[in-house]
Amino acid sequence: MSTNDTGAPTRWAELLQYIALTIAIAGLQLVWSVETGFGSPYLLSLGLKKSLVSLVWLAGPLSGLIMQPLVGIFSDKSTSRFGRRRPYIVGAAACSVLSLTVIGWTREIAGGHETLTIWLAVIAFYFLDFAINCLQAGLRALIVDVLPASRQDAGTAWASRMIGIGNVTGYLMGFLDLVHILPFLGSTHMQVLTTLASLVLSLTVAITCYCTHETPLLRAPSNSEDNLQAFKALFTSLRSLPAVIKRIFRIQLLAWIGWFPFLFYSTTYIADLYMAAHDAGSDEAMERGTRAGSLAMFAHAVVSLCSSLVLPLITYSTVTGPPRQSQEPSAAGSASAIGCAMDVLFAVRRRLTVSLPTMWTISLGVFSLAMMLTLVVSSVSIASALLAACGLSWAVAMWIPYSMIGETIRSVSSLPLEQHPDLQMNTAPVRGDYVQVATGDIPLEVMDGTSPEPGSEPTTAPEATELSAGTILGVHNVFIVLPQFITAFASSLIFAAFEHIQGTSSESEGGQHAQQIALVMCLGGLSATGAGYLTWKLRS
């Protein structure tokens, strides 16, 4: 990788490093958008009952609750010569491709047997969810491992951009007649989708794994109690995490109570508003309403992608601090018109720039307001605009929490124990009572395909009781997954209560159902308001 006179990587080299490190996240998000956007209609087309489809999507929270913490624990201690994260990333990608292939060709594999077709599809979707969560855990931990604290913000910002690219690509593919465009990839829309998703995922994972190098850990002495100690440390060590990470966990718990109603019901909410506005209950009207909902989510994805490109430019991390004049081009050209314009642009940027917690607070405020307004909106266009505006908040949700966690991990690991400002230790601290990232978690700047620098040696594996990047991110995902169970239970109670009150009358059913969904979204917005308050306090 090219460097400047000081030995630091050049701007273009850094850009290529960020792209290579995070491009696999774009492939992962494309697979996720194919599953969430087209999975339910596909299962229904196979003959699965609507009441059972929701049980299939329990795979998401279950796999997130199980896989990410497990992958974090075991990858932190992995002594593979290929590194700690990459073996899990490659294995999960292979499982994802296999699951996508089974999903696309379920009927052909089952030989036309309807019951076997449904069971194969359901099992494949469960395997896909578990593989996706394993892959996400490895890719997120890899960013923390490779980049130093001063570049965690930029790395996670690029991850957010890749998520936006994957989302936009996935929703766009849903609008295209892929069977006519790419008939050699399959005879049905789902076959072409799963084939394209498999190819993109394989290519992006190959780029990330080839261009990213990890320093392998030495094989630690075998100890039959290691795994048991690791499982125990997963939750018992939560009390000794840095205070900022524990606060982020609490914020995420409240914020995702608001996000899951948005993710679950947005398309249905727009479709019901459309049917109520057109006073129609036919299948054709429902299809048009569903397309209107898909269009709103496409607009949401576009806004999210644009936000992920723009917002990092006006946001600074606590590690790097706000932009300084010295960070801009030198004053040699200040006398020229271009130099004057650059000075003006920098002055405007510096005035608009805010810290990561402040931007997170603003985004939660936007999201909370949009969710509350759904309760009083009856226009499809206005409701679609509200959902699109949440794209800003989604871009931040995929970026800032991970950036702050990564910065904290990297910063704390570089300090002596007595200098850790956020650590809560017992009166008689022992090894493992504080967060310590292993010496293998060093910034690996070599991304040009060469081997580690001469003289570098593998590092020893971390103690089982220490929490490292993979484990912390796994626990973080638990606080994201738990709200999904809370939301599913609460929304079911609300819908059941309305059904009991209103009976089975179909009059204005679309408008009534839209109002029920809006109520669930509004309650989620209230929870996001609480998250915004905690984020505002995080500024200090």
Side-chain angles (χ1 to χ4, degrees):
M1 185 172 65
S2 59
T3 59
N4 55 26
D5 294 339
T6 63
T10 63
R11 175 172 296 184
W12 283 108
E14 280 192 358
L15 176 62
L16 292 176
Q17 182 186 19
Y18 290 137
I19 293 175
L21 180 61
T22 60
I23 193 172
I25 294 180
L28 171 63
Q29 192 63 30
L30 175 61
V31 173
W32 180 254
S33 65
V34 168
E35 181 189 14
T36 56
F38 309 100
S40 293
Y42 180 68
L43 289 172
L44 291 172
S45 71
L46 295 180
L48 188 65
K49 295 180 180 179
K50 289 183 179 180
S51 58
L52 298 178
V53 171
S54 59
L55 297 180
V56 176
W57 300 131
L58 284 177
L62 286 175
S63 59
L65 194 64
I66 297 171
M67 286 304 297
Q68 292 211 27
L70 287 182
V71 171
I73 289 173
F74 292 117
S75 66
D76 282 342
K77 302 187 301 174
S78 173
T79 55
S80 169
R81 66 187 180 91
F82 299 106
R84 289 187 292 172
R85 317 299 179 187
R86 286 182 296 172
Y88 288 88
I89 291 172
V90 172
C95 290
S96 299
V97 170
L98 178 62
S99 301
L100 287 169
T101 303
V102 174
I103 290 171
W105 275 265
T106 302
R107 286 191 175 95
E108 288 76 4
I109 295 174
H113 192 283
E114 182 177 352
T115 303
L116 180 58
T117 298
I118 294 174
W119 272 105
L120 274 177
V122 170
I123 293 173
F125 272 112
Y126 264 81
F127 268 97
L128 181 60
D129 270 311
F130 276 80
I132 284 175
N133 274 280
C134 179
L135 183 56
Q136 180 180 349
L139 291 173
R140 286 290 188 178
L142 188 64
I143 295 175
V144 178
D145 289 350
V146 168
L147 299 176
S150 60
R151 296 173 61 194
Q152 285 294 318
D153 181 39
T156 51
W158 270 101
S160 177
R161 290 166 186 150
M162 293 299 175
I163 289 173
I165 292 172
N167 270 332
V168 170
T169 304
Y171 286 118
L172 182 62
M173 287 167 55
F175 287 110
L176 301 177
D177 189 355
L178 296 178
V179 176
H180 285 84
I181 298 174
L182 302 168
F184 54 89
L185 293 182
S187 58
T188 66
H189 190 70
M190 196 63 175
Q191 287 179 355
V192 180
L193 273 177
T194 53
T195 302
L196 282 175
S198 298
L199 291 174
V200 172
L201 179 65
S202 300
L203 177 61
T204 55
V205 167
I207 292 173
T208 294
C209 290
Y210 178 77
C211 297
T212 307
H213 296 270
E214 302 177 82
T215 301
L217 301 176
L218 287 175
R219 186 169 301 278
S222 59
N223 188 339
S224 60
E225 296 181 354
D226 277 353
N227 292 336
L228 179 61
Q229 292 174 358
F231 280 110
K232 182 180 179 181
L234 180 62
F235 294 104
T236 58
S237 296
L238 282 175
R239 59 183 176 82
S240 56
L241 284 174
V244 65
I245 291 184
K246 290 196 286 188
R247 290 170 186 168
I248 291 173
F249 287 175
R250 298 187 193 107
I251 293 168
Q252 290 288 71
L253 183 66
L254 292 176
W256 280 87
I257 289 176
W259 274 117
F260 277 118
F262 175 88
L263 298 174
F264 286 159
Y265 303 121
S266 290
T267 303
T268 306
Y269 169 67
I270 297 295
D272 288 338
L273 284 179
Y274 181 91
M275 294 182 65
H278 293 78
D279 195 22
S282 64
D283 292 339
E284 184 180 354
M286 173 59 77
E287 183 178 347
R288 290 196 301 268
T290 302
R291 283 201 300 269
S294 299
L295 181 60
M297 293 307 294
F298 176 75
H300 162 82
V302 171
V303 172
S304 176
L305 176 58
C306 294
S307 299
S308 67
L309 294 172
V310 175
L311 294 183
L313 300 178
I314 57 173
T315 309
Y316 65 87
S317 72
T318 54
V319 175
T320 60
R324 299 181 298 274
Q325 187 70 39
S326 59
Q327 294 175 341
E328 298 301 305
S330 64
S334 60
S336 66
I338 297 178
C340 292
M342 292 297 295
D343 289 340
V344 172
L345 288 175
F346 175 75
V348 173
R349 179 195 172 198
R350 185 165 57 176
R351 184 170 293 273
L352 294 176
T353 300
V354 297
S355 66
L356 289 176
T358 301
M359 181 59 72
W360 195 5
T361 304
I362 294 172
S363 72
L364 286 170
V366 171
F367 176 66
S368 177
L369 179 62
M371 291 298 95
M372 292 181 186
L373 288 177
T374 59
L375 200 58
V376 296
V377 167
S378 58
S379 167
V380 173
S381 58
I382 296 177
S384 298
L386 290 177
L387 299 186
C390 292
L392 180 148
S393 305
W394 181 252
V396 171
M398 296 294 101
W399 156 40
I400 289 182
Y402 296 95
S403 176
M404 296 182 67
I405 290 174
E407 287 178 355
T408 303
I409 293 173
R410 302 297 293 171
S411 298
V412 169
S413 66
S414 64
L415 293 175
L417 177 60
E418 63 272 9
Q419 295 182 19
H420 288 185
D422 289 331
L423 297 179
Q424 300 175 0
M425 295 178 290
N426 298 329
T427 55
V430 295
R431 185 172 179 82
D433 284 340
Y434 57 91
V435 174
Q436 181 177 352
V437 181
T439 55
D441 292 336
I442 59 174
L444 305 177
E445 305 294 341
V446 182
M447 298 285 288
D448 56 356
T450 61
S451 58
E453 294 186 14
S456 62
E457 296 182 356
T459 55
T460 56
E463 294 291 333
T465 55
E466 295 173 353
L467 286 180
S468 192
T471 308
I472 291 178
L473 290 173
V475 176
H476 170 246
N477 191 70
V478 171
F479 284 85
I480 292 178
V481 169
L482 286 178
Q484 186 166 347
F485 293 100
I486 297 173
T487 299
F489 180 71
S491 59
S492 297
L493 289 180
I494 292 174
F495 294 150
F498 273 100
E499 288 176 0
H500 178 73
I501 294 173
Q502 296 172 354
T504 59
S505 174
S506 60
E507 185 179 357
S508 301
E509 185 176 351
Q512 290 178 358
H513 195 204
Q515 287 300 308
Q516 296 169 19
I517 294 176
L519 177 59
V520 174
M521 287 182 167
C522 182
L523 294 176
L526 290 175
S527 180
T529 302
Y533 172 73
L534 294 180
T535 309
W536 179 258
K537 293 180 63 177
L538 192 64
R539 291 163 59 251
S540 58

